[in-house]
Amino acid sequence: EMVHFSGTSISAAMVTGAIAVELARTPSLSPLEIDRLLRNSCIEAERPGFDSISGYGALSLSRLENQNNPNYCDPALVGYHFEHSDGLNAGTLPFDVMIQNQGNTWVGNLSLHVNYLAMNKSFRIDNLAPGELRMEKLYLQGAEFDDTVEIEARLVLPSGMNDARLDNNKRKSVIKF
């Protein structure tokens, strides 16, 4: 079964456990090397890049576990980022749909489909390096919605691509302003 946790209490336990596993695999790792491993195993969270809320992102145990697997493939729909949360008062409200290659292989020929406010937008995503984040900018007009917007997005992979985690290729969210 899967359980959703949030907060520093569970994150401290997860990071400590990840460090213990890495030290068990390679006891000679220095603190600097462990820091690098953990940062390289993070996935985007909150705003793109380093931020004051999520730092370097959320630790991905899948990325950490598969760090030496050259065939690990995991393109992912990370989420949405709204720079401003003014909603109705914003006039035009830009937002980004974030896609990240969370695997170790280059990926391409992906299709991103986004549905919101009765609109369907499609984008082609090519040449995404391991760890790379790509964003597609979309816009809401404050006059077109009340205080909530439903956004549904999905990544479609080319046939034959062996994605290790299909569960992170779609997202349906209700954003309340």
Side-chain angles (χ1 to χ4, degrees):
E1 296 292 322
M2 301 266 301
V3 177
H4 177 77
F5 288 99
S6 179
T8 56
S9 296
I10 192 65
S11 63
M14 297 296 286
V15 171
T16 302
I19 291 170
V21 167
E22 289 308 309
L23 285 173
R25 284 186 196 158
T26 314
S28 62
L29 285 173
S30 71
L32 202 56
E33 291 169 318
I34 291 171
D35 181 58
R36 182 186 53 79
L37 277 173
L38 294 178
R39 286 184 193 202
N40 288 343
S41 299
C42 286
I43 56 175
E44 276 300 328
E46 300 299 326
R47 76 187 299 172
F50 181 85
D51 63 74
S52 61
I53 296 173
S54 64
Y56 291 96
L59 178 61
S60 168
L61 298 178
S62 296
R63 286 189 79 188
L64 188 60
E65 181 181 338
N66 288 287
Q67 65 186 308
N68 296 318
N69 177 353
N71 299 315
Y72 183 67
C73 179
D74 183 22
L77 178 63
V78 178
Y80 316 109
H81 174 69
F82 290 83
E83 189 65 37
H84 307 287
S85 59
D86 298 335
L88 299 171
N89 302 323
T92 300
L93 181 64
F95 71 98
D96 295 309
V97 180
M98 300 185 297
I99 299 98
Q100 185 178 27
N101 182 353
Q102 298 177 354
N104 300 329
T105 61
W106 281 77
V107 294
N109 201 24
L110 306 172
S111 297
L112 170 65
H113 302 280
V114 185
N115 303 314
Y116 68 102
L117 298 177
M119 290 187 286
N120 299 308
K121 304 282 185 177
S122 295
F123 305 91
R124 183 182 166 137
I125 310 293
D126 252 335
N127 299 319
L128 202 56
E132 184 179 357
L133 177 72
R134 187 86 44 90
M135 296 180 290
E136 292 295 339
K137 188 163 292 297
L138 296 167
Y139 300 90
L140 296 171
Q141 296 299 322
E144 294 179 345
F145 64 97
D146 50 21
D147 63 345
T148 60
V149 174
E150 186 173 302
I151 304 172
E152 187 171 350
R154 62 187 167 87
L155 271 178
V156 177
L157 286 57
S159 65
M161 183 180 283
N162 188 19
D163 188 349
R165 294 196 52 217
L166 291 171
D167 62 305
N168 61 13
N169 292 351
K170 59 185 170 182
R171 178 177 291 252
K172 186 175 184 177
S173 301
V174 176
I175 312 292
K176 184 169 176 70
F177 295 93

